[in-house]
Amino acid sequence: MAAANDPIHQFQIVPLIGDGPIAFTNSAFYMGLTVAVITGFLMLATSARTLVPGRFQSLAELSYEFVAKTVQDSAGKEGMKFFPFVFSLFMFILVSNLIGMIPYTFTVSSHLIVTAALALSVFVTVLVVGFAKHGVGFLRLFVPHGIPIFILPLVVAIEVISFLSRPISHSVRLFANMLAGHITLKVLAGFVTMLSAGLGALGLLIGIIPLALAVAITALEFLVAFLQAYVFTILTCIYINDALHPGH
Amino acid sequence: MFEKIGPSGLYAIMPRDGGSDGLVVLAAAETGAPAETHAATEAHGGAGGHKEPFPPFNSATFAGQLFWLAIFFGLLLWLMSKVALPRVQNILEGRAERIENDLAEANRLKTETDEAIAAYEKTLADARAEGHRIAGEMHEKVSKEAEAHRLKLEDELNAKLESSEQLIAETKLQALGNVRGIAVDAASAIVERLSGKQPAANDVEKAVDASLAA
């Protein structure tokens, strides 16, 4: 009963193979599954290499062109150097989110450490590329043009703080969305069973309300799964653009 | 840290050592004081083995997640950049190239068609001009022939006219000569009848000539 209705239970990490800190856990399994699904999908979809694409090839081309356009719009032609990285991030988050929508699965991005690691990889990439490309000139990022000198220190301080808080907001946004969505779904679905168990037929009747809500939230969660992957990707592109062109 | 404090899924933030100091209960508003005491007893007693931290904040799993994320995301990055994305790019570039080639071919064919049309129109214009030229030549030739025919006919007619006029003149002269002889004869016969004497032929001829000349 406790495990069945516990909305937190789904986030538990349990070792599947081995033991100790780096045991192969359910989280690791779903990360691997995500990679396998992405790679398998792209390889199968592009195996025919037809001139007029079929459904799957269209989808593969669509995902490629969608991310490529996002990168080019936000970070310009130069940003295409980071296209494989951005594409991997987008597909990894999107596919793991979608796999997480299947009941009884585990959502990789519902763990802060995973989203934080992804966000930090973007943050570190931006720092490394920014300083490698512009040297100290990268610090111009914190000094916007056309600001009166007497409020400049304040503006620079705000810019520095906002820059440093980027990986936090970047990772917490995705993590919190996935976590909250899955808890909401579980709580609503739990209401249905609890009502029917507690009130019998009447409870089952009342249970229609949380059930309808759960169905509606499920649809919303599919949107959120895509949207959060997209938001993570577009923010990545914007941050990379800062590394490439720091002079606002 | 979040820690599980009961079977109903309530969580409380509590120090890592599980001590009772600074205890904050998340669901205090819902459950009220009993939850606090419940949490406290659970934390103190540790009974039931339910002391699991809120999973996303369970630092014991961080190392493992980071380790496998690094492996799988690294693998994904490698697969995407070395295998999958070049394949898709290949397809897209192949299509773009094909479309470009087809467009170029279409343009080439269009140019050829335009050239053919221009050549056809030029041939048509040439043929028309040639037709005009031939018709003009024909017309000229025919009118020249007709003119020549007309001139020949005129010449012939003129010649005939001339010979006819000559004939008339000769006949007239001859007739006039006959008139003189008849007149002389008639005059000498009249004179002889009137005077009884035959006039000299010379005189009669003189008189007739004079009267004819008059």
Side-chain angles (χ1 to χ4, degrees), chain B:
Chain B
M1 278 293 117
F2 284 83
E3 294 209 9
K4 195 157 189 180
I5 55 174
S8 54
L10 295 173
Y11 287 82
I13 296 174
M14 49 183 65
R16 282 238 48 84
D17 59 1
S20 56
D21 302 345
L23 186 78
V24 184
V25 178
L26 260 192
E30 257 182 62
T31 53
E36 207 164 337
T37 49
H38 184 54
T41 47
E42 284 263 341
H44 279 299
H50 263 306
K51 253 185 70 183
E52 295 159 14
F54 185 56
F57 297 137
N58 183 357
S59 58
T61 65
F62 286 2
Q65 289 195 75
L66 286 177
F67 173 76
W68 290 108
L69 180 68
I71 287 182
F72 283 122
F73 192 73
L75 177 70
L76 180 71
L77 199 57
W78 182 80
L79 283 170
M80 291 301 110
S81 57
K82 296 290 173 216
V83 189
L85 291 179
R87 269 168 76 114
V88 181
Q89 193 180 13
N90 209 349
I91 290 172
L92 292 175
E93 275 174 2
R95 178 172 312 130
E97 205 172 291
R98 174 72 186 270
I99 288 170
E100 205 171 291
N101 286 346
D102 284 2
L103 275 179
E105 176 73 5
N107 268 334
R108 193 184 63 72
L109 289 175
K110 190 177 173 298
T111 316
E112 266 182 19
T113 313
D114 286 349
E115 276 169 8
I117 288 172
Y120 162 76
E121 271 172 0
K122 191 178 169 299
T123 314
L124 199 65
D126 284 355
R128 205 169 272 152
E130 180 74 5
H132 274 300
R133 197 183 58 72
I134 291 172
E137 265 179 16
M138 253 348 241
H139 183 74
E140 208 172 312
K141 198 176 150 198
V142 167
S143 57
K144 237 184 224 165
E145 271 176 9
E147 179 75 10
H149 195 65
R150 194 175 61 81
L151 283 176
K152 202 177 131 210
L153 214 61
E154 262 180 16
D155 282 353
E156 276 175 15
L157 285 176
N158 280 344
K160 271 189 187 161
L161 203 64
E162 216 165 289
S163 67
S164 303
E165 271 173 1
Q166 211 172 342
L167 194 68
I168 290 167
E170 269 170 23
T171 314
K172 191 180 167 186
L173 211 61
Q174 204 180 348
L176 277 176
N178 291 348
V179 166
R180 189 175 167 269
I182 291 164
V184 168
D185 286 350
S188 39
I190 290 165
V191 170
E192 195 179 348
R193 180 76 64 86
L194 286 175
S195 63
K197 192 171 77 150
Q198 188 161 7
N202 264 354
D203 292 343
V204 176
E205 276 178 27
K206 264 184 199 162
V208 168
D209 284 342
S211 112
L212 273 174

Side-chain angles (χ1 to χ4, degrees), chain A residues 218-236:
Chain A
T218 303
L220 181 72
E221 280 306 302
F222 273 105
L223 178 71
V224 168
F226 171 79
L227 211 62
Q228 286 306 318
Y230 180 62
V231 167
F232 197 96
T233 309
I234 203 155
L235 284 173
T236 302

